[in-house]
Amino acid sequence: MSDVHARAIIVDGHCDTPYRLFRHNVHLDDHDTEAQADLRSLRESGITASFFAAYVPPYYAGRGAADFARKLIEVIDAEAARLPGDLTRCADAEGIRAAKREGRIALMIGVEGGHAIEDSLDILRELYGRGARYMTLTHVNTNNWCDSSGDASRHGGLTAFGRDVVRTMNDLGMIVDISHVSDDAFRHVIETTRVPVVATHSSCRALCRHPRNMTDDMLRALAKNGGVCMINFFAAFLNDEVAKVVMSSNKRKGADGRGGTEEMPDDRIDWDSFLSWFQSLGCPQATLDDVVDHIIHAATVAGVDHVGIGSDFDGVPALPLELPSAETLPRVTERLQQRGVSDGDIEKILGANFMRAFEAIESAAHAK
């Protein structure tokens, strides 16, 4: 591990490990052959803070989505309580800095899927009170107030209630996560928010055509807003050849049409069939250089102050060849150095940019 990697505050914007723990009924320190991130690999990764996702599959929209979010938050809390020597649950930027000083891994909570709030600002406030510090406005499903990049448009972006969600998150000091939203919804968020927003796990559409990725215009708008795009490690969001295979394949049929696309399963029992489907496509492999290409492209277009990392560990079926799990994260730093990125800029990318945006969001809420 390089000196810059060891000293940096490293923030991973999105990790789906809680859903894996829930599905397999295992703990973070248990052996699990499917694990892309577990206690051992997280320790070796150098990660200071990981946003553990309280992911709510689209299947639960209208079927107890808020309760499922609560359940995943309980899973995260329980793991932190089980392993206090290694982990600490925190909910603010200072907690992340304290974790770095203490040599522990800070577990942060991000709710994935705006349907989790069941169209209720009171539930949104409750999830913040339970420790959630961001929410993706959608997942692969368009919900009742925000369009998804992975589903049909119903609203032309955000509804009036969707704008109220954004304003309420601003007031709380909760990060508005624009990963998964449609292009029009992104535009409406930028028009509405009074603080920086974050794409916690998205890559660059100029390099990989997948609609989950951000266009150059979106990256420039995000930079003007003061936000951060945290690069996703999923092969289909990094490598255009992989994206072409996935996007041209026969789409998987959702369980009952309540969300879910060819890219993601739509209920908690569908993951194994999703993996089998993805593996059957015969996709080429993404590489470490694909990850670095996206980081450098985002830094070139948006500016180096607006780029981070959002691995999506345990939430994707294919990672780059040289990045099979969390302990290989130092290779990203090494390759950035080899590509001529300065140590100061690497520290920004690994976590300082996110910390700057997060602290601005916190400060604006406190000042209200």
Side-chain angles (χ1 to χ4, degrees):
M1 185 183 295
S2 68
D3 289 345
V4 64
H5 197 90
R7 70 172 177 262
I9 289 178
I10 301 175
V11 180
D12 183 358
H14 194 86
C15 184
D16 274 304
T17 299
Y19 187 56
R20 175 180 64 79
L21 302 182
F22 171 76
R23 286 186 296 110
H24 291 185
N25 193 27
V26 296
H27 294 295
L28 193 61
D29 53 343
D30 288 340
H31 177 69
D32 182 353
T33 56
E34 192 181 295
Q36 296 170 351
D38 56 18
L39 183 62
R40 178 195 59 80
S41 63
L42 287 170
R43 293 292 295 178
E44 294 179 13
S45 72
I47 289 171
T48 310
S50 181
F51 272 89
F52 269 28
Y55 164 58
V56 182
Y59 176 84
Y60 290 98
R63 293 186 174 117
D67 279 345
F68 196 86
R70 296 177 186 114
K71 187 178 301 183
L72 267 288
I73 289 172
E74 289 170 1
V75 169
I76 297 166
D77 286 342
E79 290 304 303
R82 282 186 65 251
L83 300 163
D86 296 290
L87 309 174
T88 178
R89 261 278 286 113
C90 71
D92 54 26
E94 179 49 40
I96 295 174
R97 297 188 188 281
K100 180 67 175 180
R101 293 191 296 269
E102 296 164 3
R104 294 194 289 171
I105 300 166
L107 297 189
M108 306 288 291
I109 295 174
V111 173
E112 186 170 26
H115 52 285
I117 66 169
E118 298 180 356
D119 307 332
S120 166
L121 296 179
D122 285 342
I123 293 177
L124 174 64
R125 295 183 186 101
E126 176 207 333
L127 294 176
Y128 178 86
R130 287 174 177 259
R133 288 301 176 266
Y134 75 65
M135 182 176 71
T136 64
L137 301 185
T138 68
H139 190 239
V140 298
N141 56 312
T142 289
N143 57 43
N144 291 334
W145 45 271
C146 186
D147 288 335
S148 168
S149 65
D151 202 354
S153 172
R154 287 166 44 197
H155 315 297
L158 276 180
T159 68
F161 178 77
R163 291 178 186 263
D164 285 344
V165 170
V166 171
R167 295 185 189 103
T168 301
M169 293 174 75
N170 289 172
D171 292 346
L172 289 170
M174 191 176 192
I175 299 163
V176 177
D177 182 4
I178 50 82
S179 289
H180 286 290
V181 306
S182 71
D183 292 10
D184 284 338
F186 169 81
R187 178 171 54 83
H188 290 164
V189 169
I190 292 296
E191 290 171 358
T192 305
T193 184
R194 61 183 178 86
V195 301
V197 300
V198 178
T200 65
H201 56 306
S202 296
S203 299
C204 304
R205 209 179 301 174
L207 302 185
C208 179
R209 69 190 67 190
H210 201 289
R212 265 282 279 110
N213 288 338
M214 301 188 70
T215 67
D216 284 1
D217 284 346
M218 294 166 78
L219 289 170
R220 284 186 280 265
L222 188 68
K224 186 176 180 180
N225 159 264
V228 181
C229 176
M230 306 179 84
I231 300 299
N232 191 310
F233 294 176
F234 181 27
F237 300 161
L238 292 172
N239 184 287
D240 199 53
E241 293 304 311
V242 179
K244 279 198 294 186
V245 172
V246 170
M247 294 172 68
S248 64
S249 66
N250 290 325
K251 297 185 186 341
R252 296 168 69 250
K253 184 178 180 181
D256 66 356
R258 292 191 185 218
T261 70
E262 72 275 18
E263 286 86 24
M264 289 295 297
D266 69 354
D267 63 40
R268 76 178 189 86
I269 61 172
D270 199 27
W271 189 263
D272 289 341
S273 65
F274 165 61
L275 292 178
S276 297
W277 169 82
F278 188 89
Q279 291 160 4
S280 75
L281 299 179
C283 291
Q285 289 183 299
T287 67
L288 173 60
D289 277 313
D290 288 327
V291 175
V292 174
D293 286 346
H294 279 261
I295 292 172
I296 290 175
H297 180 84
T300 300
V301 173
V304 75
D305 293 335
H306 303 285
V307 189
I309 55 170
S311 69
D312 219 350
F313 287 137
D314 281 332
V316 297
L319 291 165
L321 183 62
E322 304 98 322
L323 292 173
S325 53
E327 73 265 23
T328 58
L329 184 64
R331 295 177 184 175
V332 174
T333 298
E334 292 165 6
R335 189 58 53 88
L336 285 167
Q337 290 177 310
Q338 292 165 7
R339 297 276 290 268
V341 181
S342 71
D343 285 357
D345 284 349
I346 290 172
E347 287 194 60
K348 290 181 178 182
I349 293 162
L350 291 176
N353 288 336
F354 171 82
M355 294 295 287
R356 184 261 311 155
F358 189 25
E359 288 171 336
I361 293 164
E362 291 178 326
S363 295
H366 295 155
K368 184 179 178 295

